[in-house]
Amino acid sequence: MQFWAEGFGALAVIFNFIGYRQNTVERYLMVSAVALFCVSIHFFMLDAMAAGIGCLLASIRNVVALKNRGKGVLIGFVAANLAFLAYEWFILNHGWLIFFAYSSALIFTIGSIVLRDATRIRQWFILAEILGLIYAVAVGSIFGTIFNITNLTSIITKLVQDRKLKQAS
């Protein structure tokens, strides 16, 4: 099982690296949806439910956000994240680490639906990636950790490239 979990984690890393290199929000959302689905499977296989749910909701959210970015969509996905957080915290009695995963998921949710500029999304997602990294390390996810580190590296690299291009023009 661990082999398959890490395999899905590796796929997620590859797709997400590609996603963060996209120049349009639409292309980013589609490639990222595939990556998020893969990393969701990875976390579920590691029994890291909070990240599994958060990433699965994020994958669905990215597909929905391609066509619908209204307040109702935002409220629906924020409510779903909060409902699962409450379920894990109050019903399943999962530990405090879930707050890192759900905080990350909420930042991604709000940023993906509200923001339309690729640069602003990258800037917004730095905090979410750091929170995801803390969770991945805490639950012992090898590729979850790599996923977040490569995402942070990709975000920062792309922001620096964009800044240099802006300064050159």
Side-chain angles (χ1 to χ4, degrees):
M1 184 74 97
Q2 183 74 24
F3 173 79
W4 287 106
E6 296 303 340
F8 278 105
L11 281 174
V13 168
I14 292 165
F15 279 114
N16 222 35
F17 182 79
I18 294 167
Y20 274 122
R21 308 289 302 159
Q22 301 307 304
N23 291 318
T24 66
V25 172
E26 291 75 18
R27 287 180 62 155
Y28 161 76
L29 289 172
M30 200 60 210
V31 176
S32 179
V34 174
L36 288 163
F37 183 73
C38 291
V39 81
S40 174
I41 293 169
H42 166 79
F43 279 117
F44 277 124
M45 293 177 94
L46 295 178
D47 292 324
M49 186 176 176
I53 289 169
C55 292
L56 182 58
L57 287 173
S59 178
I60 296 166
R61 178 210 61 226
N62 278 9
V63 173
V64 170
L66 285 167
K67 299 290 181 192
N68 302 305
R69 293 177 169 268
K71 193 179 277 187
V73 173
L74 175 63
I75 291 168
F77 279 102
V78 167
N81 276 284
L82 293 175
F84 280 112
L85 169 62
Y87 175 70
E88 281 197 63
W89 183 251
F90 293 112
I91 306 298
L92 299 179
N93 296 313
H94 287 175
W96 59 270
L97 281 175
I98 65 173
F99 287 96
F100 285 97
Y102 283 107
S103 295
S104 176
L106 286 168
I107 292 168
F108 279 123
T109 295
I110 294 165
S112 294
I113 294 173
V114 173
L115 300 175
R116 295 290 298 161
D117 179 69
T119 299
R120 295 298 297 155
I121 285 176
R122 288 182 187 102
Q123 293 167 339
W124 184 257
F125 286 0
I126 289 173
L127 175 58
E129 292 292 355
I130 291 169
L131 293 169
L133 175 61
I134 292 167
Y135 182 83
V137 168
V139 298
S141 169
I142 296 167
F143 273 99
T145 300
I146 294 169
F147 182 84
N148 291 114
I149 290 171
T150 58
N151 289 347
L152 282 167
T153 302
S154 293
I155 292 169
I156 293 166
T157 300
K158 186 64 174 158
L159 287 171
V160 168
Q161 287 174 347
D162 289 349
R163 177 179 246 154
K164 286 181 182 178
L165 283 173
K166 234 180 204 178
Q167 289 174 347
S169 21

